[in-house]
C-alpha cells in the first residue's frame, strides 16, 4: 500500500471574502475548537473532498461555493490537487495540470493509479463488468464519519453503485488480495457472461427450429441447378403477382377515398 501524506490545504470561497490555509505536520494532527460549529469536521473532510470524495455538506457550506488546493505526496512523489464543484485538477511533480470530472471513470482510474488502489468491483446491475471504484472506497479504510462511522463500520460514505464492495476493498487493504487477483476475477466474469450470452442465443435458435419443424411444410430442396433456377423463377413470379395485387388494391383504395370526399361535400351541402 502506498504512503499518502497530506501537506497543505488552501480553501477559498467564491461567494464571500473568506479563505483559509492549513498545514499538516508529519505524524498525527489534532484538530481542536471551542465549540461544535467551528468547522472541525469540514476541515477533516476537505482533503478527501478535494481528491474526489462526495459528502453531504450543510447549506451554509454549499453557499460558500468553495474551491480548494491540496498539496500531498505519495511514496515521496509530490502532487497538487485542486477542486471546484465537480471538476478536479491534478498536477504530478513538474508536469502540467490535468483536468477531470469526478463523474468520469478516467479520474477514478487516475486516482487509483496514483495511490496504487488496484481493487476492481462488479457493477450492481451489470455484474460481469468489473471497474475501478471511486476514491470513497479507498478512503473508507481511513476515514470515520463522526455520526455514523463509529456505529456502522465502513459506512462513512454513501456508496450505492456496488452491491457488495466492503469485503473486496477490505481484502485489498489487508493485503489478502492482490491486483492480479482482481484482474483475473474480472476476466472470469467476462468469460462467464459470454458463455451465458452464447447459451441464450443457442436456446433461441433451438426454439426457432422447433417451431419450424412443427409449422413448416415438408418440401424437398432443389437438387440440381436447373431445379434451383426453376424454384427461383417461381418465387420471382409469385412476388410479381403479389406486387400486381398490391397495385390493384391501391387503385381501388384511391377510388374509395375519392368517393368519400365527394360524399363529404354532398353531406356538407345537405346540412347547409
Amino acid at each position: 500500500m502506498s504512503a499518502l501524506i497530506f501537506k497543505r490545504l488552501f480553501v477559498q470561497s467564491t461567494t464571500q471574502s473568506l479563505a483559509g490555509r492549513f498545514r499538516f505536520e508529519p505524524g498525527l494532527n489534532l484538530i481542536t475548537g471551542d465549540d461544535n460549529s467551528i468547522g472541525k469536521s469540514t476541515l477533516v473532510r476537505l482533503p478527501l473532498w478535494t481528491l474526489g470524495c462526495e459528502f453531504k455538506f450543510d447549506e451554509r457550506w454549499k453557499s460558500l461555493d468553495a474551491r480548494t488546493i491540496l498539496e500531498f505526496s505519495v511514496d515521496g512523489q509530490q502532487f497538487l490537487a485542486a477542486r471546484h464543484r465537480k471538476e478536479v485538477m491534478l498536477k504530478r511533480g513538474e508536469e502540467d495540470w490535468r483536468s477531470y470530472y469526478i463523474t468520469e471513470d478516467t479520474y477514478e482510474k487516475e486516482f487509483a493509479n496514483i495511490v496504487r488502489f488496484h481493487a476492481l468491483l462488479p457493477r450492481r446491475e451489470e455484474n460481469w463488468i468489473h471497474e475501478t471504484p471511486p476514491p470513497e472506497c479507498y478512503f473508507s479504510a481511513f476515514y470515520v464519519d463522526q455520526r455514523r462511522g463509529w456505529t456502522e463500520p465502513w459506512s462513512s460514505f454513501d456508496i450505492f453503485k456496488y452491491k457488495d464492495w466492503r469485503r473486496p476493498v477490505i481484502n485489498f487493504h489487508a493485503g489478502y488480495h492482490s491486483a492480479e487477483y482482481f484482474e483475473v476475477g474480472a476476466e472470469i466474469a467476462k468469460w462467464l457472461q459470454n458463455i451465458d450470452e452464447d447459451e441464450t442465443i443457442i436456446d433461441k435458435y433451438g426454439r426457432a427450429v422447433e417451431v419450424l419443424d412443427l409449422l413448416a411444410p415438408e418440401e424437398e430442396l432443389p437438387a440440381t441447378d436447373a431445379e434451383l433456377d426453376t424454384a427461383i423463377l417461381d418465387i420471382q413470379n409469385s412476388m410479381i403477382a403479389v406486387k400486381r395485387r398490391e397495385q390493384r388494391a391501391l387503385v381501388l383504395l384511391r377510388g374509395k377515398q375519392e368517393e368519400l370526399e365527394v360524399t363529404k361535400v354532398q353531406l356538407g351541402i345537405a346540412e347547409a
Side-chain angles (χ1 to χ4, degrees):
M1 185 185 303
S2 300
L4 170 61
I5 300 176
F6 298 145
K7 294 187 173 183
R8 289 190 297 172
L9 175 69
F10 302 87
V11 188
Q12 182 188 48
S13 170
T14 62
T15 60
Q16 301 182 29
S17 299
L18 296 173
R21 178 172 53 187
F22 308 91
R23 179 184 296 275
F24 301 102
E25 299 297 334
L28 298 178
N29 287 256
L30 181 63
I31 301 174
T32 62
D34 295 333
D35 54 55
N36 291 329
S37 60
I38 199 171
K40 300 186 297 296
S41 299
T42 300
L43 177 56
V44 171
R45 292 175 174 180
L46 281 180
L48 279 59
W49 181 80
T50 305
L51 291 174
C53 294
E54 290 289 72
F55 294 95
K56 293 181 179 179
F57 292 111
D58 58 31
E59 292 302 320
R60 181 177 180 277
W61 169 259
K62 293 179 181 178
S63 67
L64 298 176
D65 190 30
R67 54 189 179 186
T68 59
I69 297 178
L70 175 67
E71 180 184 346
F72 66 100
S73 66
V74 178
D75 292 339
Q77 187 174 13
Q78 305 303 311
F79 291 88
L80 287 173
R83 178 171 177 178
H84 184 220
R85 298 176 183 173
K86 298 294 184 180
E87 183 181 13
V88 176
M89 298 183 67
L90 290 175
K91 178 177 174 61
R92 184 193 300 257
E94 299 300 323
E95 296 179 5
D96 294 333
W97 287 91
R98 294 185 179 182
S99 178
Y100 306 88
Y101 285 89
I102 62 172
T103 55
E104 299 174 345
D105 59 357
T106 52
Y107 175 71
E108 295 172 349
K109 292 178 180 178
E110 180 64 17
F111 174 80
N113 180 57
I114 290 174
V115 298
R116 296 177 178 83
F117 180 50
H118 301 302
L120 298 174
L121 301 180
R123 294 179 181 176
R124 180 181 290 271
E125 301 297 334
E126 302 168 305
N127 58 12
W128 63 90
I129 300 177
H130 290 212
E131 62 187 12
T132 301
E136 287 92 336
C137 288
Y138 172 80
F139 284 114
S140 291
F142 315 108
Y143 171 73
V144 179
D145 183 79
Q146 64 175 352
R147 294 185 177 179
R148 63 183 183 180
W150 298 108
T151 58
E152 301 177 52
W154 293 77
S155 298
S156 297
F157 296 99
D158 292 325
I159 303 174
F160 303 110
K161 191 176 182 179
Y162 310 102
K163 184 177 181 181
D164 181 20
W165 62 269
R166 292 177 177 84
R167 183 179 297 276
V169 170
I170 292 173
N171 288 337
F172 176 82
H173 280 302
Y176 187 68
H177 287 158
S178 63
E180 184 179 6
Y181 170 87
F182 289 100
E183 292 171 0
V184 171
E187 289 297 322
I188 291 175
K190 289 180 182 179
W191 281 108
L192 291 176
Q193 177 62 21
N194 291 337
I195 292 173
D196 289 341
E197 292 176 353
D198 291 343
E199 289 179 345
T200 301
I201 294 174
I202 292 172
D203 183 60
K204 289 181 179 179
Y205 282 136
R207 290 198 300 269
V209 171
E210 291 176 358
V211 172
L212 289 175
D213 289 340
L214 290 173
L215 302 179
E218 295 185 2
E219 294 184 1
E220 293 185 1
L221 295 176
T224 64
D225 291 343
E227 292 177 353
L228 180 60
D229 292 340
T230 301
I232 293 174
L233 182 60
D234 291 340
I235 293 172
Q236 291 175 341
N237 291 334
S238 298
M239 293 177 65
I240 292 172
V242 170
K243 188 65 176 179
R244 288 174 178 172
R245 287 197 297 271
E246 179 183 328
Q247 291 174 346
R248 288 195 294 270
L250 288 174
V251 171
L252 181 62
L253 178 61
R254 292 192 187 99
K256 294 296 183 182
Q257 288 176 335
E258 291 175 358
E259 292 178 5
L260 179 61
E261 294 298 327
V262 173
T263 301
K264 287 181 179 180
V265 172
Q266 294 176 345
L267 181 60
I269 295 173
E271 290 177 348

